[in-house]
Amino acid sequence: MAATAKERLARVPLFHGLTPEELEPLAARMVERRYRGGQMLFGEGEPCEGIYLILEGRVKIFKTSPSGREVTLAVESAPSSVAEVPLFDGGPYPASVIALEDVTAGFIHTRDFRQACRQYPELALKMLAAVGRRLRQLVALIEALTFGSVRRRLAALLLEFGEEAGAAAFTLPWTHQELASRLGTVREVVSRNLSRFQFEGLIRSSGRRIELLDPDGLRREAEAEL
């Protein structure tokens, strides 16, 4: 049996803790939109019309330089939310979001979401937590791009994937190209460093399947001083 709009909303971390009655008005105003892999949800600089809730699939948040270079800010998997930051300041979307696979997203207009936040203070607090999480991600990314080598950043990212998977063996959630975009480099450099990690006994790699053989060694790489 297909989940109702209210049930789908309840799975999004932003709405955890709200009662079915509190979710009702948001569910009634949510519009479901479907996107194919490679299709844009919205582009950087476009006016912010509302918040997007990722109900199914994965999306990539990224920025593009005037020269065309792309940097991945985050990859979000359902259930999650994107476009939280500009909801309250009235500014445009600060980054672009593209579907990495078939995606079902729920869209709630800014005015409806603001009204819900005024009515339910817990939602406003969760919104602040989501914005804070996004800010921490960006600060960590800036620090990595500014101070860390590709090898150091890649080691840290592999450890992060392992923690998210809760296991030493996992399937990379991103392609080598997506990893390169996140790390501010090119695909060949990512592939070369993965090969070096494997040669050094830090990981075992087969396609996108990764096993962390020496997490402590990777951690030393990630924390190495320049």
Side-chain angles (χ1 to χ4, degrees):
M1 182 176 179
T4 65
K6 189 163 56 176
E7 290 170 339
R8 298 185 116 189
L9 272 183
R11 296 170 186 163
V12 177
L14 197 60
F15 302 108
H16 288 176
L18 295 188
T19 67
E21 291 73 21
E22 292 168 340
L23 287 171
E24 187 68 47
L26 285 171
R29 289 168 173 80
M30 182 180 74
V31 177
E32 284 197 9
R33 299 178 178 178
R34 290 177 171 78
Y35 302 86
R36 294 289 186 185
Q39 188 176 359
M40 297 285 293
L41 277 68
F42 55 83
E44 178 181 351
E46 293 178 5
C48 175
E49 298 181 346
I51 188 171
Y52 287 78
L53 310 167
I54 310 306
L55 306 177
E56 296 176 6
R58 293 187 307 140
V59 300
K60 177 174 68 175
I61 306 171
F62 68 96
K63 289 184 72 70
T64 306
S65 72
S67 65
R69 182 178 178 182
E70 180 184 300
V71 175
T72 298
L73 304 180
V75 171
E76 295 288 345
S77 299
S80 61
S81 57
V82 295
E84 308 98 346
V85 175
L87 267 184
F88 296 106
D89 68 3
Y93 293 118
S96 302
V97 173
I98 189 171
L100 293 176
E101 57 197 34
D102 288 353
V103 165
T104 299
F107 175 80
I108 301 177
H109 196 280
T110 300
R111 63 173 176 271
D112 296 323
F113 198 86
R114 287 178 177 174
Q115 175 60 35
C117 285
R118 285 192 289 266
Q119 190 172 357
Y120 305 115
E122 184 175 350
L123 178 56
L125 290 174
K126 286 182 176 292
M127 190 69 181
L128 286 174
V131 172
R133 177 177 63 87
R134 191 75 66 200
L135 179 59
R136 286 182 181 276
Q137 288 177 338
L138 294 177
V139 169
L141 179 60
I142 291 170
E143 180 182 19
L145 291 174
T146 303
F147 301 114
S149 67
V150 171
R151 179 181 172 94
R152 178 184 175 185
R153 302 198 301 271
L154 181 57
L157 200 53
L158 290 176
L159 289 169
E160 181 181 324
F161 289 149
E163 290 176 1
E164 291 176 355
F170 55 88
T171 299
L172 279 174
W174 303 352
T175 66
H176 287 192
Q177 182 57 55
E178 290 165 352
L179 286 170
S181 177
R182 169 64 184 269
L183 298 174
T185 185
V186 295
R187 181 178 57 80
E188 291 77 12
V189 173
V190 168
S191 299
R192 187 160 60 247
N193 276 279
L194 286 172
S195 295
R196 287 175 178 169
F197 284 161
Q198 178 159 268
F199 177 77
E200 295 165 10
L202 297 173
I203 68 171
R204 180 180 292 120
S205 174
S206 177
R208 290 176 65 173
R209 189 67 180 172
I210 298 289
E211 183 179 359
L212 306 183
L213 300 177
D214 185 1
D216 290 337
L218 278 176
R219 197 164 291 108
R220 286 192 293 272
E221 290 289 342
E223 297 172 353
E225 295 293 336
L226 295 178

